[in-house]
Structure formats: C-alpha cells, structure tokens
C-alpha cells in the first residue's frame, strides 16, 4: 500500500494524475474494503498437526466477496432480461452475446437465480405503460452502453486525466511503474500530440466567469412543467385543430365549400372565435373583430393610446422604406414627443433608447417602446377586458345564437330526411289544387 501511495505523487510532490494511477487508486480502494474487519473477507487461523497458520483466506472467499459486494452479476441480469424481451427491438449485439455466454460460464452455479431475477424484472416491465417501458429500456441500455461499452471504445466513466494533465503541462514527464522516464505524449497509443497551450489571460478569465454567471442565472423549467404546459395547450386548442376535430360547417380543402373561410373573415364572429380571444392577447390582436372590441374597451377606460401606438408600430414595419422616416416622425409627434396629444407612459430606459433611435429612423425604431407597451397591456388592460361585462355578454350571446342555429339545422335535416322517405304518387286529375300543390312539394 505504501508503494502505491509513492506512485501517487510525482517528484515535485504534486499528486500524480496519470490514467494508470486512477486504476491503482480503485484497486487500493477495493483492497481496503477487503481488509475491513466487519465487512471484509473473513480471515481465520488454520491449525495443522504441529503448527498454526494465522490470517488465512482462500480464493473462493475472494470470489464470494467480489460477487457479493461489487454487483458483478448485474450485467448478467440485464443481458438475460434482454433475451426475454422484443427480439426485433432489443436483440443482443455480437459483443453482448459473447459477454452473456462468458457470464453464464462464470456464474454457472447461480445462473438459475440470475435467470429468476431477470424473469421477475421482465414481468414488472410488461405491466408498465408502453411509453414508460420504452423510456426505461432506453435509459437502461444507455447506462450499460456507458458502463460496459463496445470493445475498442473509450470507457466514458473514466475521466480523461491524460488530456487534462497534458493541457496543464505539455512537457511534463513522469516515472512509469517500471521506473523509466517516459513522455506521456509519445507513449500513449490512444492520444495524438496537441499543440502547446498558453495560460488564459485576465480578460479571458473575466469573460469565462461572466459566461458561467449568465448560465447560472438562466431560467430553467423542469420537464414535468413543460409537459404539463404542452398538454394544457393541446387540450385548449383541440377544437381548433382540423386534423383532430372536423371544422364546422365543413373543411373547405375537402368539400370545396368556402363557407368556413367566409365565417372566419366575417365581421360577425362565431362563438368559437370569441372564445379564442380569451386564450391570450395575441389571439385577440390577430382577429380584426377582436382587435376592434379590445380597442372599444380601452376607449371606455381612456387608455386606447396604448393599443393605437402598438398598431401604428406594427404598420410601420410593413411600410416601404422610403415612407419610414416620415412615418417615424408622425408616431413620435403623436405619442412620445413632449406635449403629444396621445402620450403613452414609458419607463425612462425605453424612452431614452427610443429617443436615440429616432435620430436614425428605421422600421424598428420603436421596438423597445412597443415591447414595453405590449407587456403593460398584457398584464393590466387585457385581463380586465376578458373579465369585462362587454366580452362576457358577447360570448354568451354568440353561444346562445349557435345553439339556436344548431337546433334549426337539426330540424331542417330531420324534415329533409323525412321528405326523402315519403313516397310520391301521381295526382289524380280530379284532385283539388291544394292537394296537387302539396303533392308536388313532396
């Protein structure tokens, strides 16, 4: 053990980080666990005819201890379970089949127990949901691909100490286990020489610190929250997806009936369109009628200048470039200049940035001011619009109207079907005109 510790340090007293030392430390750790008085290999004294032999253990004791404490049979259970599952999707590769045969020979005495473990795990997996089972299979396979990689591949569980040591001191030489002076670059078959690197400067270190601080401050969401949001979004827009729910009255791409498009462009929105305005402010602003209703609501609250400014900036982005400078000045004079007739409320940072942008007008001169106004309407004006009696009454009125139309349509379909089923007889020449007219109608 003392000798192993000497190998752990270089001549200048710095801890040796060569890849061989990583393996040696693991071996030392296993030997230390073997020597533990409580959980190590059982050591006993053997008495012979004339003498005693203290501190004796056999090879079978070592094998039993390794099998018990190092979970050597786990790969055997995994590979055995793979043979019981879907052969097309989880068929063993050649190197895995060889490993399974080798493990079966090594654990011949307890193979029945390993097979029972694999069978029990396979039964538990079959009870799981199909998607969950696929995810667990992928995770388990990835785990063993990392910890038992394909022969010839680098074991990614081992830290690449050679590379990091070489980057710190490219010309550093170490004593090998045979006491020879070797350059780690020239005697490493798995690494190619790399150019000498310079230590980072102070500016580079500051940039790196700033980069990692930004990474720490980034807002991150749990996958469970993302999945919940995606499910909620899908359920909310389910009735608007023509692939999942057939549109009413019909899909114009299939039936060549443009009624659906006409209803979408109509100034008399249906209940579905009005309901969609409540999903978010973007939905209300995309719909011309929704935008108009929102503007009327803001006028009733004497804050319509916010939406008018937002719409003016959106229009500015679509203008020809030759008209942009003049239109920028018009928007500035109407909404932002001192004493403007429709002054909007901006924070000082956005106002200063916009003031600088106006000196060099472009389509995105008011980008910061527009974003500030958008957030202001989204957090304040829009929620009040959705809760307002005007919107709720419009939603209920459209709902009642559609229910009435549905009942009328159902009655018309019923009478049409009944009319098809009534037989039509030729009218007698002596029948009355009223009877003849009713017969012709049928």
């Amino acid at each position: 053990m003392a000798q192993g510790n000497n190998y752990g340090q270089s001549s200048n007293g710095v801890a040796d980080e060569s890849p061989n030392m990583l393996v040696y430390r693991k071996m030392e750790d296993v030997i230390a666990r073997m020597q533990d008085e409580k959980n190590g290999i059982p050591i006993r004294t053997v008495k012979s005819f004339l003498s005693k032999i203290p501190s004796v253990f056999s090879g079978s004791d070592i094998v039993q201890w390794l099998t018990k404490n190092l979970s050597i049979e786990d790969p055997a259970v995994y590979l055995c379970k793979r043979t019981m599952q879907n052969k097309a999707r989880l068929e063993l590769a050649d190197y895995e089949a060889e490993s399974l045969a080798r493990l079966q020979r090594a654990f011949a005495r307890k193979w029945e127990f390993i097979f029972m473990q694999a069978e029990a795990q396979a039964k538990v997996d079959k009870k799981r949901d199909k998607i969950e089972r696929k995810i667990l299979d992928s995770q388990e396979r990835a785990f063993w691909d990392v910890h038992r990689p394909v022969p010839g591949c680098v074991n990614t569980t081992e830290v690449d100490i050679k590379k990091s040591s070489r980057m710190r001191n490219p010309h550093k030489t170490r004593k090998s286990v045979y006491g020879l002076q070797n350059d780690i670059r020239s005697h490493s078959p798995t690494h190619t020489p790399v150019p000498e690197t310079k230590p980072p400067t102070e500016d580079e270190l500051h940039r790196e610190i700033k980069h990692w601080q930004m990474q720490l401050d980034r807002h991150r969401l749990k996958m469970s929250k993302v999945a919940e949001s995606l499910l909620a979004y899908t359920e909310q827009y389910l009735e608007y997806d023509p692939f999942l729910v057939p549109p009413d009255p019909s899909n114009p791409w299939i039936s060549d009936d443009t009624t659906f498009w006409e209803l979408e462009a109509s100034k008399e929105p249906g209940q579905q369109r009005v309901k969609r305005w409540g999903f978010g402010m973007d939905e209300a602003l995309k719909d011309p009628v929704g935008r108009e209703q929102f503007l009327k609501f803001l006028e009733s609250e004497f804050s319509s200048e916010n939406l008018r400014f937002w719409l003016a900036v959106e229009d500015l982005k679509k203008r020809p470039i030759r008209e942009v400078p003049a239109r920028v000045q018009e928007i500035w004079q109407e909404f932002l200049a001192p004493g403007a007739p429709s002054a909007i409320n901006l924070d000082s940072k956005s106002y200063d940035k916009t003031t600088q942008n106006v000196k060099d007008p472009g389509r995105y001169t008011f980008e910061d001011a527009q974003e500030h106004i958008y957030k202001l309407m989204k957090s304040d004006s829009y929620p009040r619009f959705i809760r307002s009696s005007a919107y709720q009454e419009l939603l209920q009125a459209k709902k009642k109207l559609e229910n009435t139309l549905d009942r009328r349509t159902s009655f018309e379909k019923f009478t049409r079907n009944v009319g098809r089923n009534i037989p039509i007889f030729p009218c007698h020449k002596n029948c009355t005109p009223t009877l003849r007219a009713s017969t012709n109608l049928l």
Side-chain angles (χ1 to χ4, degrees):
M1 299 289 287
Q3 187 178 3
N5 290 332
N6 290 335
Y7 290 140
Q9 292 185 350
S10 60
S11 58
N12 57 2
V14 180
D16 193 351
E17 297 295 339
S18 63
N20 286 339
M21 286 309 305
L22 186 65
V23 179
Y24 297 156
R25 291 193 188 104
K26 288 186 176 181
M27 292 170 63
E28 288 178 356
D29 181 60
V30 172
I31 293 171
R33 290 170 60 189
M34 286 181 176
Q35 294 175 344
D36 187 70
E37 294 180 359
K38 293 182 179 180
N39 301 318
I41 297 174
I43 299 176
R44 50 189 177 273
T45 301
V46 177
K47 295 180 180 180
S48 63
F49 179 66
L50 294 175
S51 62
K52 291 182 179 180
I53 304 175
S55 305
V56 175
F57 59 88
S58 62
S60 61
D61 294 332
I62 296 178
V63 172
Q64 290 179 4
W65 187 89
L66 291 173
T67 305
K68 179 181 178 182
N69 291 275
L70 299 185
S71 302
I72 298 176
E73 71 243 17
D74 285 353
V77 174
Y78 163 68
L79 293 174
C80 189
K81 185 176 69 172
R82 285 267 302 277
T83 61
M84 303 175 186
Q85 294 174 337
N86 190 343
K87 298 291 178 63
R89 188 167 57 86
L90 297 171
E91 186 177 4
L92 294 179
D94 292 339
Y95 77 94
E96 290 176 324
E98 292 174 5
S99 299
L100 179 62
R102 188 170 59 252
L103 291 168
Q104 191 169 3
R105 289 193 299 271
F107 297 106
R109 293 185 178 181
K110 58 184 303 185
W111 190 255
E112 185 177 353
F113 174 71
I114 292 173
F115 185 83
M116 289 171 60
Q117 280 185 297
E119 193 174 27
Q121 290 183 16
K123 287 181 180 178
V124 172
D125 290 343
K126 286 181 180 178
K127 294 179 181 178
R128 290 191 173 98
D129 182 66
K130 184 178 180 180
I131 297 177
E132 183 183 5
R133 189 165 63 246
K134 283 185 178 180
I135 293 172
L136 291 176
D137 286 342
S138 301
Q139 289 175 343
E140 191 174 23
R141 190 161 188 174
F143 174 85
W144 287 114
D145 283 346
V146 170
H147 291 271
R148 294 291 187 275
V150 180
C153 292
V154 177
N155 191 342
T156 54
T157 58
E158 304 290 348
V159 181
D160 194 356
I161 301 295
K162 284 192 285 187
K163 185 174 181 181
S164 61
S165 300
R166 190 167 61 251
M167 295 294 286
R168 284 197 298 269
N169 195 350
H171 299 291
K172 185 177 179 181
T173 59
R174 301 189 182 95
K175 283 187 178 181
S176 70
V177 292
Y178 305 107
L180 300 176
Q181 295 286 340
N182 291 329
D183 188 346
I184 60 171
R185 297 178 301 166
S186 59
H187 289 78
S188 176
T190 58
H191 291 83
T192 56
V194 295
E196 184 177 350
T197 57
K198 296 180 180 179
T201 62
E202 185 176 352
D203 291 339
E204 291 174 346
L205 290 174
H206 281 303
R207 284 198 297 270
E208 188 174 358
I209 291 171
K210 186 177 180 181
H211 167 73
W212 290 116
Q213 285 177 342
M214 291 174 61
Q215 294 298 317
L216 289 173
D217 294 337
R218 281 181 60 189
H219 182 63
R220 290 176 174 83
L221 291 176
K222 292 183 178 179
M223 281 303 299
S224 57
K225 297 294 183 183
V226 174
E228 288 176 7
S229 300
L230 182 60
L231 287 173
Y233 178 86
T234 306
E235 291 172 357
Q236 187 179 48
Y237 284 89
L238 179 65
E239 60 182 309
Y240 299 93
D241 192 334
F243 286 101
L244 301 176
V245 179
D248 189 34
S250 64
N251 190 334
W253 295 103
I254 298 174
S255 63
D256 290 335
D257 181 9
T258 60
T259 306
F260 177 77
W261 289 335
E262 291 170 0
L263 290 174
E264 286 292 308
S266 171
K267 292 187 176 182
E268 291 294 330
Q271 191 257 342
Q272 272 194 331
R273 277 176 66 185
V274 177
K275 179 182 175 183
R276 192 164 179 168
W277 301 346
F279 293 172
M281 193 171 75
D282 290 333
E283 295 290 349
L285 294 177
K286 280 193 303 185
D287 193 321
V289 182
R291 196 162 56 239
E292 184 181 347
Q293 293 295 327
F294 188 30
L295 183 60
K296 286 181 180 178
F297 171 77
L298 293 178
E299 286 173 352
S300 68
E301 293 198 337
F302 305 100
S303 59
S304 62
E305 65 277 358
N306 290 332
L307 182 55
R308 287 191 286 111
F309 171 75
W310 188 89
L311 293 173
V313 175
E314 286 294 298
D315 176 69
L316 173 67
K317 295 175 182 178
K318 303 172 187 176
R319 289 291 184 97
I321 193 65
R322 64 178 180 274
E323 300 177 8
V324 168
R327 184 58 182 154
V328 166
Q329 289 301 322
E330 290 175 6
I331 295 173
W332 172 263
Q333 293 298 329
E334 183 178 359
F335 297 102
L336 292 167
S342 301
I344 57 174
N345 187 15
L346 284 183
D347 62 312
S348 58
K349 183 178 179 182
S350 300
Y351 186 82
D352 294 340
K353 185 77 177 290
T354 305
T355 305
Q356 293 296 324
N357 292 341
V358 170
K359 297 176 182 178
D360 184 18
R363 288 194 177 99
Y364 299 93
T365 298
F366 301 102
E367 187 73 14
D368 294 283
Q370 186 189 30
E371 184 179 358
H372 178 80
I373 292 299
Y374 177 87
K375 290 179 179 178
L376 187 65
M377 290 192 297
K378 186 176 181 179
S379 61
D380 183 38
S381 304
Y382 172 73
R384 285 189 277 109
F385 167 65
I386 296 301
R387 293 193 301 267
S388 67
S389 58
Y391 173 75
Q392 295 297 331
E393 289 172 3
L394 182 62
L395 182 63
Q396 294 300 324
K398 296 299 179 182
K399 191 172 183 180
K400 290 178 182 178
L401 179 61
E402 290 207 356
N403 290 337
T404 305
L405 291 175
D406 288 342
R407 286 196 296 270
R408 186 182 302 170
T409 306
S410 301
F411 179 73
E412 290 174 355
K413 288 180 181 178
F414 171 74
T415 54
R416 196 180 300 117
N417 292 333
V418 170
R420 289 197 190 100
N421 296 329
I422 296 177
I424 300 177
F425 301 100
C427 187
H428 192 269
K429 62 180 180 179
N430 295 326
C431 65
T432 62
T434 304
L435 181 59
R436 185 181 293 110
S438 61
T439 307
N440 292 334
L441 285 174
L442 292 176

